[in-house]
Amino acid sequence: MPSTLLDIRHLTVVYAGEGRAPDLPVLDDLSFAVDEGAFVAILGPSGCGKSTLLRVLAGLLPPTRGQVWLAGRPVQGPQRQVGMVFQNANLLPWRTVLGNILLPLQVQGVPEAQARRRAYDMVRLVGLEGFEDTLPRDLSGGMAQRVALARALVHNPRLLLLDEPFANLDALTRESMWGELLRLWHTQRQTVLMVTHSITEALLLADRVLVLGPRPARLRLDLRVPLPRPRHEAMRFTPRFGHLAEEVRAALGLRRAPRPAPQPLPWDTIAG
């Protein structure tokens, strides 16, 4: 049986208003647990607090009320067991690909030879051999996000937090990165929580989809995704995938527009 890695209990976040501005409730009494090795996607309307939730889980923001437990210990500050990737790659422009990947290990004081071996392993893992000495300005968007993923994974965290990591990529690159992320997850076996606005992305990648409501966000849906692995693009067009997508859409308060009645084609009119 898988063990629980992350335990969120009655999590509430309220941003204090400045001056006479009122306080802003963001998250309201969230409770859920995540098993070790799981891949969980988080959806919700814009501004509902998804990114705030990730910052709390990473220990970058203290909750107003409630508690987060990681590997059986309360989260009370930044965690070495957590890696994080943002919507923008946020690479240091003066550092090469290898230099950016090395950064977390250097901050942690890992011996240079050991750090470089690990960084080169990650370069190979994300398919960037030959680009070790390249600066971020010379990388495509997809390559930059591969560097960001390698940097987040180089210190072998138990928990990987992804805040819409592919939102700024074009459609073809984004779909390519879905496969890349799944390959890395199968190889590294980190526990993954990924914020996304894409129902398709959530269902193709995750074991479980959490849907948050409008701010202050509460949990509206906790959906297990019963699609077999390995996942592939053709699953998007199956009835099972469509039913899951409709369940998520309903939890988000979305409804498809009714389809208009088909109009007769010119030759139908003539034949009539």
Side-chain angles (χ1 to χ4, degrees):
M1 293 291 292
S3 60
T4 298
L5 177 67
L6 195 61
D7 192 4
I8 294 91
R9 304 178 186 176
H10 305 291
L11 181 64
T12 296
V13 174
V14 178
Y15 289 129
E18 295 184 4
R20 296 184 178 180
D23 291 348
L24 180 65
V26 179
L27 302 175
D28 182 21
D29 197 35
L30 290 182
S31 294
F32 61 91
V34 178
D35 288 339
E36 184 107 41
F39 195 130
V40 179
I42 302 170
L43 290 101
S46 294
C48 75
K50 301 183 295 297
S51 296
T52 294
L53 173 59
L54 291 196
R55 288 198 292 272
V56 173
L57 300 185
L60 303 177
L61 177 71
T64 306
R65 290 186 297 278
Q67 185 67 67
V68 175
W69 294 74
L70 178 64
R73 297 191 175 191
V75 172
Q76 296 176 332
Q79 304 290 305
R80 285 193 175 188
Q81 298 186 78
V82 176
M84 194 162 184
V85 178
F86 300 92
Q87 186 170 331
N88 297 311
N90 292 326
L91 304 180
L92 298 179
W94 59 89
R95 280 186 171 240
T96 64
V97 165
L98 188 67
N100 271 282
I101 296 172
L102 275 169
L103 183 60
L105 300 180
Q106 292 171 336
V107 170
Q108 294 178 12
V110 176
E112 182 68 16
Q114 179 183 341
R116 292 183 73 85
R117 283 196 301 271
R118 177 62 179 165
Y120 274 111
D121 286 343
M122 292 307 304
V123 166
R124 287 189 289 271
L125 188 64
V126 299
L128 289 175
E129 302 98 319
F131 292 92
E132 294 89 343
D133 298 323
T134 303
L135 290 171
R137 69 188 181 208
D138 298 319
L139 299 175
S140 68
M143 293 171 74
Q145 282 301 82
R146 288 183 186 212
V147 178
L149 280 168
R151 183 178 60 186
L153 292 170
V154 71
H155 63 294
N156 197 30
R158 295 179 71 176
L159 176 64
L160 179 62
L161 303 176
L162 305 175
D163 193 358
E164 296 192 78
F166 311 134
N168 290 333
L169 303 179
D170 64 84
L172 292 178
T173 304
R174 184 164 59 248
E175 292 185 10
S176 173
M177 289 300 296
W178 293 348
E180 186 71 17
L181 177 57
L182 285 179
R183 184 181 66 82
L184 289 172
W185 177 63
H186 281 294
T187 302
Q188 300 292 108
R189 298 311 298 184
Q190 269 88 10
T191 304
V192 176
L193 266 73
M194 181 183 70
V195 164
T196 177
H197 276 105
S198 168
I199 296 173
T200 296
E201 184 172 81
L203 293 176
L204 275 180
L205 298 182
D207 301 311
R208 183 177 168 200
V209 174
L210 304 179
V211 176
L212 304 182
R215 189 181 67 241
R218 307 195 84 178
L219 189 60
R220 280 191 169 181
L221 178 68
D222 186 346
L223 176 69
R224 303 282 174 172
V225 181
L227 299 174
R229 294 192 184 274
R231 306 272 171 86
H232 50 81
E233 282 290 303
M235 288 181 175
R236 298 167 61 179
F237 310 106
T238 63
R240 193 178 198 184
F241 191 97
H243 291 318
L244 292 170
E246 284 303 310
E247 190 170 351
V248 175
R249 288 178 63 84
L252 288 167
L254 303 175
R255 292 290 185 272
R256 291 189 182 277
R259 294 182 179 179
Q263 298 298 311
L265 297 171
W267 48 83
D268 293 328
T269 305
I270 293 172

